[in-house]
Each structure stands twice: as C-alpha cells, then as structure tokens.
Amino acid sequence: MTAGHEHGFRRKAVQAKDVSNLQALDAVWTWSEHGAGQASLDRLNAVFGLPSWKLTRAKMQKLIHQGFVDGCACGCTGSFVLTPVGRAELSRLREVEASRATMAVAADA
C-alpha cells in the first residue's frame, strides 16, 4: 500500500510537466549564457529538484521538440542551449510573470 491509500487518496506522482517552461528555459539560459558552463542533465536536474534525471530528460525533450532548446536529450551530458525562439519565449514568459506579480500586488493594495 502506498502512502495515503489508507485515507482514500493517492499521492500525485511527480512528472516532467510539473517543471514550468519558464523555470526550465531560465535554467538553461543561466547555465549557458552566463559562462557558468553548459546546461547538462545533471545540473538541470539539481535545479529542478526532480527525483530522477529521466524526468529532466523528458522535459528537455519536450523543449527541443517545441524548438526552444538545442541539445541532446539521449541521456548523455546534454549540452543544452536556447534557440532564438527559446530566447523569445523566455522573454515572453518573464513578461507574463512580471505582469502577474504586478496584478497580485495591486489586488492586495
């Protein structure tokens, strides 16, 4: 029996989709654009806080498929970098997040 079954509910399994595109693109940008080294699966997994690098690999495969990131998600080091489309998406997501924060502050006032 898994934890929670005795109470009639199941614990939600962590999935790659639980990492937002903003968080993932920002992490790749930070590692690759600031000279901190290459954005590898191990480094990204540590940033995302996922229980398995396989979930990080799935997230990166999705971002590659969407055209936001270049790199290799086969399980090797990765070497991920943002594409021009990924940079534009990161900028858009940051603007959305900033406007949400502004609206939240205005709602609290």
Side-chain angles (χ1 to χ4, degrees):
M1 216 181 226
T2 60
H5 267 215
E6 64 275 4
H7 299 292
F9 65 89
R10 291 182 68 180
R11 209 174 269 174
K12 182 181 168 215
V14 177
Q15 298 179 350
K17 68 181 180 180
D18 294 333
V19 175
S20 71
N21 280 1
L22 175 60
Q23 181 185 9
L25 293 175
D26 194 43
V28 171
W29 180 79
T30 299
W31 280 105
S32 61
E33 304 293 327
H34 284 331
Q38 295 180 342
S40 66
L41 285 173
D42 290 338
R43 289 176 174 170
L44 292 173
N45 193 55
V47 171
F48 299 162
L50 295 174
S52 169
W53 67 270
K54 292 179 182 181
L55 294 171
T56 301
R57 182 175 155 244
K59 181 64 178 186
M60 299 314 294
Q61 282 178 322
K62 180 73 171 176
L63 293 174
I64 290 169
H65 180 72
Q66 291 173 324
F68 298 147
V69 174
D70 275 337
C72 181
C74 74
C76 65
T77 59
S79 304
F80 300 105
V81 293
L82 291 180
T83 64
V85 174
R87 285 189 188 98
E89 179 67 4
L90 178 58
S91 178
R92 185 189 72 78
L93 291 171
R94 284 177 175 167
E95 287 177 17
V96 168
E97 191 65 26
S99 69
R100 285 182 182 162
T102 302
M103 290 188 319
V105 168
D108 289 340

